[in-house]
Amino acid sequence: MSHPWQFYAKVSGACLLLGAGMEGFMIKTGFYNKVTEIEAERLDETREDREAFQKMLRAEIERQARVKHIAIKLPEDRT
């Protein structure tokens, strides 16, 4: 069963309008501002864990390099 191109144009247009309406609603209600705020809080809460993991990973990489007698140059710590 073949649909004419007009059918696909109407469906595409309807989807475009629906998507634009949803985006407009989310912007108007401050949805994106709230999501950004929540994400910033989550990153602050996990900062210590991430820094500890990075230190542990760096130490393990350096240990493995010493065991294998490989000279490596890791980037400087940004903390």
Side-chain angles (χ1 to χ4, degrees):
M1 177 160 138
S2 174
H3 293 288
W5 67 271
Q6 294 94 352
F7 170 77
Y8 293 115
K10 289 177 185 176
V11 170
S12 298
C15 291
L16 177 72
L17 288 175
L18 180 63
M22 289 174 61
E23 287 295 325
F25 175 78
M26 291 192 301
I27 291 169
K28 187 174 181 177
T29 59
F31 173 79
Y32 291 120
N33 294 335
K34 186 63 176 174
V35 167
T36 302
E37 185 180 306
I38 290 170
E39 185 68 15
E41 290 174 4
R42 186 187 68 79
L43 285 173
D44 281 344
E45 290 172 358
T46 61
R47 176 167 281 128
E48 289 179 7
D49 292 338
R50 285 183 285 124
E51 288 174 357
F53 175 73
Q54 288 173 347
K55 287 179 183 177
M56 185 270 311
L57 185 61
R58 182 182 191 93
E60 179 61 20
I61 290 171
E62 290 171 343
R63 184 194 68 76
Q64 288 182 14
R66 279 192 311 273
V67 167
K68 295 179 181 180
H69 306 293
I70 299 173
I72 60 171
K73 180 175 177 156
L74 296 175
E76 298 297 320
D77 286 333
R78 288 181 270 165
T79 56

XYZ file of all heavy atoms in Angstrom:
643
model
N 0.845 -1.178 0.000
C 0.000 0.000 0.000
C 0.890 1.242 0.000
O 1.725 1.419 0.871
C -0.881 -0.039 1.249
C -1.755 1.145 1.412
S -3.047 0.658 2.511
C -3.195 2.025 3.533
N 0.705 2.066 -0.943
C 1.529 3.248 -1.116
C 0.741 4.497 -0.740
O -0.401 4.663 -1.156
C 1.977 3.339 -2.572
O 2.649 4.547 -2.783
N 1.365 5.335 0.085
C 0.725 6.591 0.470
C 1.287 7.708 -0.396
O 2.479 7.737 -0.679
C 0.991 6.918 1.937
C 0.350 5.964 2.881
N -0.998 5.916 3.103
C 0.878 5.015 3.686
C -1.276 4.990 3.990
N -0.146 4.412 4.351
N 0.434 8.638 -0.769
C 0.953 9.773 -1.553
C 1.845 10.668 -0.704
O 1.766 10.667 0.526
C -0.319 10.513 -1.993
C -1.365 10.103 -1.022
C -0.991 8.716 -0.546
N 2.707 11.431 -1.348
C 3.655 12.278 -0.626
C 2.942 13.307 0.233
O 3.478 13.780 1.231
C 4.636 12.924 -1.591
C 4.009 13.928 -2.530
C 3.466 13.679 -3.740
C 3.871 15.317 -2.296
N 2.976 14.827 -4.288
C 3.212 15.859 -3.408
C 4.218 16.157 -1.257
C 2.901 17.199 -3.520
C 3.916 17.497 -1.367
C 3.259 18.007 -2.495
N 1.695 13.686 -0.117
C 0.945 14.656 0.677
C 0.678 14.114 2.083
O 0.680 14.860 3.062
C -0.391 15.020 0.022
C -0.278 15.763 -1.289
C -0.335 14.819 -2.485
O -0.318 13.601 -2.340
N -0.367 15.388 -3.686
N 0.435 12.821 2.167
C 0.190 12.197 3.471
C 1.420 12.343 4.368
O 1.319 12.735 5.528
C -0.144 10.711 3.270
C -0.189 9.928 4.555
C -1.274 10.017 5.398
C 0.867 9.097 4.916
C -1.322 9.307 6.582
C 0.846 8.381 6.092
C -0.262 8.488 6.930
N 2.594 12.058 3.818
C 3.820 12.163 4.603
C 4.121 13.611 4.972
O 4.616 13.898 6.054
C 4.997 11.555 3.838
C 4.858 10.061 3.663
C 4.697 9.498 2.402
C 4.865 9.217 4.763
C 4.557 8.134 2.247
C 4.726 7.850 4.618
C 4.575 7.314 3.352
O 4.436 5.959 3.206
N 3.792 14.533 4.091
C 3.985 15.954 4.389
C 3.081 16.379 5.547
O 3.502 17.124 6.441
C 3.712 16.797 3.148
N 1.838 15.913 5.555
C 0.906 16.260 6.641
C 1.365 15.668 7.967
O 1.334 16.342 9.004
C -0.502 15.773 6.308
C -1.175 16.552 5.216
C -2.537 15.968 4.886
C -3.155 16.684 3.696
N -4.447 16.068 3.312
N 1.797 14.422 7.957
C 2.271 13.777 9.183
C 3.527 14.486 9.696
O 3.651 14.766 10.895
C 2.538 12.272 8.955
C 3.265 11.656 10.141
C 1.236 11.538 8.698
N 4.447 14.813 8.809
C 5.669 15.516 9.214
C 5.351 16.888 9.785
O 5.918 17.304 10.797
C 6.618 15.680 8.023
O 7.011 14.421 7.552
N 4.445 17.604 9.151
C 4.045 18.922 9.645
C 3.387 18.837 11.013
O 3.655 19.664 11.900
N 2.523 17.843 11.209
C 1.859 17.674 12.501
C 2.878 17.355 13.589
O 2.802 17.896 14.706
C 0.810 16.574 12.408
N 3.842 16.502 13.285
C 4.887 16.161 14.264
C 5.750 17.374 14.587
O 6.114 17.589 15.747
C 5.747 15.018 13.742
S 4.885 13.445 13.664
N 6.058 18.172 13.583
C 6.839 19.383 13.799
C 6.100 20.347 14.729
O 6.682 20.874 15.681
C 7.147 20.060 12.463
C 7.905 21.379 12.567
C 9.342 21.107 12.986
C 7.857 22.119 11.261
N 4.818 20.555 14.465
C 4.024 21.462 15.311
C 3.897 20.929 16.735
O 3.994 21.686 17.708
C 2.648 21.679 14.703
C 2.613 22.534 13.441
C 1.199 22.577 12.868
C 3.119 23.930 13.723
N 3.682 19.646 16.884
C 3.568 19.053 18.218
C 4.884 19.184 18.985
O 4.890 19.582 20.160
C 3.182 17.570 18.105
C 3.019 16.818 19.420
C 1.872 17.409 20.226
C 2.780 15.348 19.146
N 5.990 18.891 18.338
C 7.298 19.012 18.986
C 7.607 20.448 19.370
O 8.112 20.724 20.458
N 7.312 21.390 18.474
C 7.555 22.802 18.771
C 6.689 23.263 19.935
O 7.133 24.030 20.801
C 7.281 23.653 17.536
N 5.461 22.791 19.993
C 4.577 23.141 21.102
C 5.094 22.606 22.430
O 5.058 23.302 23.453
N 5.584 21.385 22.415
C 6.132 20.803 23.645
C 7.367 21.568 24.101
O 7.523 21.854 25.303
C 6.479 19.326 23.412
C 5.269 18.448 23.260
S 5.662 16.746 22.801
C 6.644 16.225 24.169
N 8.254 21.915 23.180
C 9.453 22.684 23.535
C 9.074 24.050 24.079
O 9.640 24.515 25.072
C 10.374 22.849 22.321
C 11.098 21.592 21.929
C 12.090 21.115 22.976
O 12.722 21.958 23.643
O 12.240 19.906 23.125
N 8.127 24.711 23.440
C 7.672 26.014 23.919
C 7.105 25.924 25.325
O 7.367 26.787 26.174
N 6.318 24.890 25.588
C 5.743 24.701 26.919
C 6.844 24.488 27.957
O 6.807 25.073 29.046
C 4.792 23.503 26.906
C 4.238 23.158 28.252
C 3.213 23.899 28.793
C 4.750 22.093 28.975
C 2.689 23.591 30.043
C 4.247 21.775 30.222
C 3.217 22.526 30.755
N 7.835 23.675 27.632
C 8.909 23.397 28.590
C 9.743 24.643 28.853
O 10.178 24.877 29.977
C 9.775 22.229 28.106
C 9.023 20.914 28.147
S 10.003 19.425 27.939
C 10.739 19.657 26.368
N 9.965 25.457 27.846
C 10.711 26.700 28.048
C 9.901 27.665 28.900
O 10.419 28.279 29.832
C 11.086 27.327 26.687
C 12.135 26.468 25.994
C 11.574 28.759 26.858
C 12.386 26.840 24.552
N 8.618 27.796 28.590
C 7.754 28.748 29.303
C 7.592 28.382 30.778
O 7.517 29.261 31.634
C 6.390 28.807 28.625
C 5.483 29.877 29.174
C 4.212 29.982 28.383
C 3.364 31.099 28.977
N 2.145 31.285 28.202
N 7.563 27.105 31.098
C 7.368 26.672 32.485
C 8.672 26.602 33.275
O 8.652 26.316 34.467
C 6.693 25.290 32.552
O 7.500 24.335 31.867
C 5.297 25.332 31.941
N 9.816 26.854 32.633
C 11.092 26.836 33.338
C 11.648 25.443 33.541
O 12.503 25.221 34.406
N 11.219 24.499 32.746
C 11.671 23.113 32.877
C 13.182 23.002 32.729
O 13.857 22.359 33.537
C 10.973 22.245 31.822
C 11.476 20.846 31.751
C 11.065 19.904 32.679
C 12.372 20.459 30.762
C 11.536 18.600 32.626
C 12.846 19.171 30.706
C 12.427 18.238 31.627
N 13.740 23.646 31.710
C 15.173 23.527 31.455
C 16.000 24.190 32.553
O 17.076 23.703 32.912
C 15.538 24.104 30.088
C 14.997 23.264 28.949
C 14.110 23.802 28.021
C 15.363 21.938 28.812
C 13.616 23.028 26.985
C 14.874 21.159 27.784
C 13.998 21.708 26.873
O 13.513 20.940 25.857
N 15.508 25.287 33.115
C 16.210 25.929 34.228
C 16.272 24.995 35.430
O 17.299 24.889 36.103
C 15.530 27.240 34.614
C 15.624 28.278 33.531
O 16.533 28.242 32.710
N 14.690 29.205 33.503
N 15.166 24.319 35.706
C 15.116 23.395 36.844
C 16.049 22.205 36.616
O 16.755 21.773 37.528
C 13.669 22.921 37.066
C 13.485 22.094 38.295
C 13.807 22.881 39.534
C 13.535 22.071 40.770
N 13.955 22.743 41.983
N 16.055 21.672 35.408
C 16.924 20.533 35.097
C 18.390 20.930 35.251
O 19.194 20.175 35.800
C 16.639 19.997 33.670
C 17.716 19.037 33.210
C 15.286 19.338 33.628
N 18.736 22.120 34.787
C 20.109 22.604 34.915
C 20.494 22.753 36.381
O 21.596 22.383 36.797
C 20.265 23.955 34.192
O 19.911 23.771 32.823
C 21.685 24.469 34.276
N 19.583 23.260 37.181
C 19.827 23.424 38.621
C 20.039 22.083 39.312
O 20.971 21.918 40.101
C 18.620 24.151 39.230
C 18.740 24.514 40.670
C 17.479 25.220 41.143
O 17.087 26.225 40.522
O 16.888 24.743 42.128
N 19.217 21.113 38.986
C 19.324 19.776 39.588
C 20.639 19.117 39.177
O 21.327 18.487 39.995
C 18.112 18.907 39.192
C 16.849 19.429 39.888
C 18.352 17.442 39.537
C 15.568 18.786 39.386
N 21.015 19.259 37.917
C 22.269 18.665 37.437
C 23.477 19.296 38.123
O 24.429 18.605 38.480
C 22.372 18.830 35.919
C 23.563 18.157 35.307
C 23.524 16.654 35.367
O 22.458 16.075 35.636
O 24.587 16.034 35.160
N 23.437 20.609 38.329
C 24.536 21.287 39.025
C 24.650 20.792 40.461
O 25.757 20.565 40.967
C 24.322 22.789 38.996
N 23.530 20.605 41.136
C 23.548 20.075 42.508
C 24.125 18.670 42.540
O 24.914 18.332 43.418
C 22.134 20.073 43.087
C 21.582 21.446 43.390
C 20.125 21.414 43.817
O 19.554 20.307 43.960
O 19.558 22.505 43.995
N 23.729 17.851 41.570
C 24.224 16.470 41.532
C 25.736 16.454 41.308
O 26.454 15.678 41.944
C 23.523 15.692 40.413
C 23.887 14.208 40.404
C 23.333 13.502 39.197
N 23.959 13.932 37.967
C 25.160 13.511 37.543
N 25.858 12.681 38.274
N 25.656 13.941 36.401
N 26.235 17.309 40.427
C 27.672 17.361 40.191
C 28.426 17.824 41.431
O 29.508 17.312 41.738
C 27.983 18.283 39.012
C 27.665 17.717 37.640
C 27.841 18.780 36.573
C 28.512 16.509 37.342
N 27.871 18.789 42.159
C 28.515 19.247 43.394
C 28.554 18.132 44.439
O 29.543 17.974 45.151
C 27.772 20.457 43.976
C 28.126 21.740 43.254
O 29.144 21.751 42.530
O 27.379 22.725 43.414
N 27.476 17.361 44.526
C 27.406 16.288 45.521
C 28.404 15.174 45.229
O 28.896 14.524 46.147
C 25.994 15.705 45.560
C 24.965 16.652 46.154
C 23.548 16.139 46.007
O 23.339 15.059 45.408
O 22.637 16.839 46.490
N 28.708 14.942 43.971
C 29.590 13.824 43.613
C 31.020 14.268 43.326
O 31.851 13.434 42.959
C 29.038 13.075 42.393
O 28.977 13.971 41.280
C 27.662 12.498 42.666
N 31.321 15.538 43.485
C 32.654 16.052 43.152
C 33.755 15.333 43.938
O 34.766 14.911 43.379
C 32.727 17.559 43.403
C 34.143 18.109 43.157
C 34.168 19.612 43.096
N 33.688 19.974 41.765
C 32.707 20.838 41.524
N 32.113 21.432 42.510
N 32.330 21.106 40.288
N 33.570 15.174 45.245
C 34.597 14.524 46.066
C 34.832 13.088 45.627
O 35.979 12.637 45.564
C 34.208 14.573 47.534
C 34.287 15.954 48.144
C 33.864 15.970 49.602
O 33.632 14.883 50.169
O 33.765 17.062 50.162
N 33.755 12.381 45.322
C 33.895 10.999 44.870
C 34.661 10.924 43.553
O 35.532 10.064 43.369
C 32.522 10.347 44.688
C 31.791 10.144 46.004
O 32.462 10.112 47.054
O 30.552 10.018 45.965
N 34.342 11.821 42.617
C 35.032 11.824 41.326
C 36.506 12.151 41.487
O 37.362 11.533 40.852
C 34.371 12.817 40.371
C 33.047 12.310 39.815
C 32.421 13.264 38.822
N 31.842 14.391 39.549
C 32.138 15.663 39.339
N 33.014 15.997 38.430
N 31.552 16.622 40.038
N 36.828 13.119 42.352
C 38.229 13.481 42.565
C 38.996 12.335 43.214
O 40.137 12.053 42.841
C 38.313 14.739 43.411
C 37.896 15.994 42.655
C 37.830 17.224 43.535
O 38.050 17.108 44.767
O 37.552 18.315 43.002
N 38.363 11.653 44.174
C 39.019 10.514 44.816
C 39.256 9.395 43.801
O 40.316 8.762 43.795
C 38.174 10.007 45.979
N 38.281 9.149 42.942
C 38.433 8.113 41.922
C 39.570 8.470 40.964
O 40.380 7.613 40.594
C 37.127 7.924 41.155
C 37.249 6.954 40.022
C 37.356 5.593 40.260
C 37.279 7.397 38.710
C 37.488 4.691 39.221
C 37.412 6.513 37.658
C 37.510 5.155 37.919
N 39.656 9.730 40.560
C 40.715 10.148 39.652
C 42.094 9.972 40.292
O 43.036 9.534 39.628
C 40.512 11.602 39.233
C 39.354 11.786 38.278
C 39.046 13.248 38.005
O 39.529 14.143 38.687
N 38.229 13.486 37.000
N 42.227 10.286 41.571
C 43.507 10.097 42.256
C 43.874 8.627 42.333
O 45.023 8.240 42.120
C 43.449 10.714 43.654
C 43.464 12.229 43.630
C 43.385 12.798 45.027
C 43.334 14.317 44.974
N 43.179 14.928 46.294
N 42.884 7.793 42.648
C 43.131 6.357 42.741
C 43.525 5.798 41.373
O 44.458 5.004 41.255
C 41.871 5.651 43.269
C 42.006 4.167 43.524
S 41.605 3.055 42.150
C 40.048 3.632 41.561
N 42.838 6.236 40.331
C 43.141 5.775 38.982
C 44.538 6.217 38.557
O 45.309 5.434 37.985
C 42.090 6.308 38.003
C 42.183 5.839 36.570
C 42.024 4.322 36.491
C 41.117 6.523 35.735
N 44.889 7.447 38.855
C 46.221 7.963 38.523
C 47.305 7.152 39.231
O 48.313 6.769 38.627
C 46.307 9.427 38.915
C 47.631 10.062 38.580
C 47.660 11.516 39.047
N 48.788 12.198 38.507
C 48.801 12.904 37.388
N 47.698 13.048 36.699
N 49.898 13.476 36.961
N 47.087 6.861 40.521
C 48.064 6.085 41.281
C 48.220 4.682 40.693
O 49.335 4.157 40.591
C 47.646 6.010 42.746
N 47.117 4.086 40.278
C 47.175 2.742 39.705
C 47.905 2.752 38.358
O 48.712 1.857 38.068
C 45.760 2.178 39.530
C 45.710 0.798 38.918
C 46.419 -0.274 39.729
O 46.658 -0.098 40.940
O 46.749 -1.320 39.144
N 47.656 3.752 37.548
C 48.353 3.858 36.260
C 49.853 4.026 36.488
O 50.678 3.376 35.829
C 47.784 5.029 35.431
C 46.372 4.689 34.969
C 48.677 5.355 34.241
C 45.635 5.849 34.337
N 50.233 4.889 37.427
C 51.645 5.088 37.730
C 52.281 3.810 38.276
O 53.409 3.477 37.934
C 51.808 6.242 38.713
C 51.485 7.600 38.093
C 51.426 8.719 39.109
O 51.318 8.440 40.323
O 51.471 9.892 38.682
N 51.543 3.066 39.116
C 52.058 1.816 39.663
C 52.310 0.801 38.557
O 53.366 0.166 38.488
C 51.089 1.231 40.694
C 51.622 -0.032 41.391
C 50.547 -0.782 42.135
N 49.558 -1.396 41.255
C 49.744 -2.504 40.540
N 50.919 -3.120 40.564
N 48.796 -2.988 39.780
N 51.339 0.670 37.642
C 51.502 -0.282 36.550
C 52.656 0.115 35.638
O 53.375 -0.749 35.133
C 50.199 -0.395 35.748
C 49.107 -1.121 36.488
C 47.837 -1.268 35.653
O 47.844 -1.059 34.442
N 46.752 -1.628 36.316
N 52.846 1.399 35.430
C 53.958 1.860 34.600
C 55.288 1.528 35.261
O 56.240 1.120 34.582
C 53.845 3.363 34.350
N 55.373 1.699 36.589
C 56.615 1.349 37.301
C 56.894 -0.143 37.202
O 58.032 -0.561 36.976
C 56.519 1.767 38.770
C 56.806 3.221 39.028
C 56.983 3.508 40.516
N 55.932 2.957 41.362
C 54.783 3.561 41.662
N 54.522 4.750 41.167
N 53.906 2.986 42.449
N 55.857 -0.963 37.371
C 56.032 -2.415 37.310
C 56.543 -2.837 35.930
O 57.401 -3.713 35.816
C 54.695 -3.128 37.647
C 54.752 -4.602 37.296
C 54.343 -2.939 39.114
N 56.041 -2.216 34.899
C 56.429 -2.578 33.535
C 57.637 -1.781 33.040
O 58.030 -1.920 31.883
C 55.244 -2.361 32.589
C 54.083 -3.281 32.890
C 52.920 -3.026 31.962
C 51.766 -3.954 32.307
N 50.628 -3.739 31.417
N 58.203 -0.950 33.898
C 59.368 -0.131 33.551
C 59.088 0.752 32.334
O 59.875 0.816 31.390
C 60.602 -1.000 33.307
C 60.897 -1.906 34.458
N 61.309 -1.445 35.687
C 60.802 -3.256 34.580
C 61.482 -2.465 36.508
N 61.183 -3.579 35.858
N 57.947 1.417 32.368
C 57.541 2.310 31.285
C 57.512 3.731 31.830
O 56.969 3.990 32.902
C 56.138 1.938 30.759
C 56.138 0.526 30.195
C 55.672 2.937 29.720
C 54.760 0.029 29.822
N 58.094 4.643 31.079
C 58.053 6.050 31.470
C 56.816 6.684 30.839
O 56.618 6.595 29.626
C 59.295 6.773 30.999
N 55.982 7.279 31.684
C 54.779 7.938 31.176
C 54.731 9.365 31.717
O 55.325 9.674 32.752
C 53.493 7.190 31.584
C 53.358 7.118 33.093
C 53.439 5.825 30.957
C 52.033 6.588 33.573
N 54.017 10.183 30.981
C 53.809 11.555 31.446
C 52.313 11.799 31.454
O 51.678 11.916 30.404
C 54.512 12.564 30.552
C 54.314 13.976 31.011
C 55.086 14.962 30.206
C 54.718 16.331 30.738
N 55.660 17.350 30.532
N 51.768 11.872 32.656
C 50.332 12.122 32.809
C 50.082 13.620 32.894
O 50.956 14.377 33.333
C 49.813 11.430 34.064
C 49.883 9.909 34.074
C 49.458 9.365 35.415
C 49.003 9.332 32.982
N 48.906 14.062 32.499
C 48.589 15.485 32.627
C 48.616 15.911 34.098
O 48.380 15.101 34.995
C 47.187 15.609 32.065
C 46.791 14.280 31.542
C 47.827 13.290 31.914
N 48.883 17.181 34.309
C 48.915 17.716 35.672
C 47.514 17.673 36.278
O 46.515 17.774 35.581
C 49.417 19.159 35.647
C 50.824 19.309 35.117
C 51.849 18.594 35.983
O 51.734 18.642 37.211
O 52.762 17.986 35.409
N 47.468 17.546 37.607
C 46.188 17.599 38.310
C 45.611 18.992 38.203
O 46.309 19.976 38.347
C 46.356 17.247 39.799
C 46.585 15.758 39.984
O 46.130 14.979 39.136
O 47.215 15.388 40.999
N 44.316 19.066 37.977
C 43.651 20.361 37.888
C 43.021 20.773 39.203
O 42.366 21.778 39.296
C 42.578 20.323 36.814
C 43.155 20.290 35.419
C 42.071 20.287 34.402
N 41.725 18.910 34.113
C 40.635 18.538 33.478
N 39.772 19.416 33.070
N 40.395 17.264 33.234
N 43.206 19.971 40.228
C 42.565 20.281 41.505
C 43.434 21.132 42.373
O 44.572 21.340 42.180
C 42.229 18.979 42.264
O 43.420 18.212 42.423
C 41.174 18.210 41.497
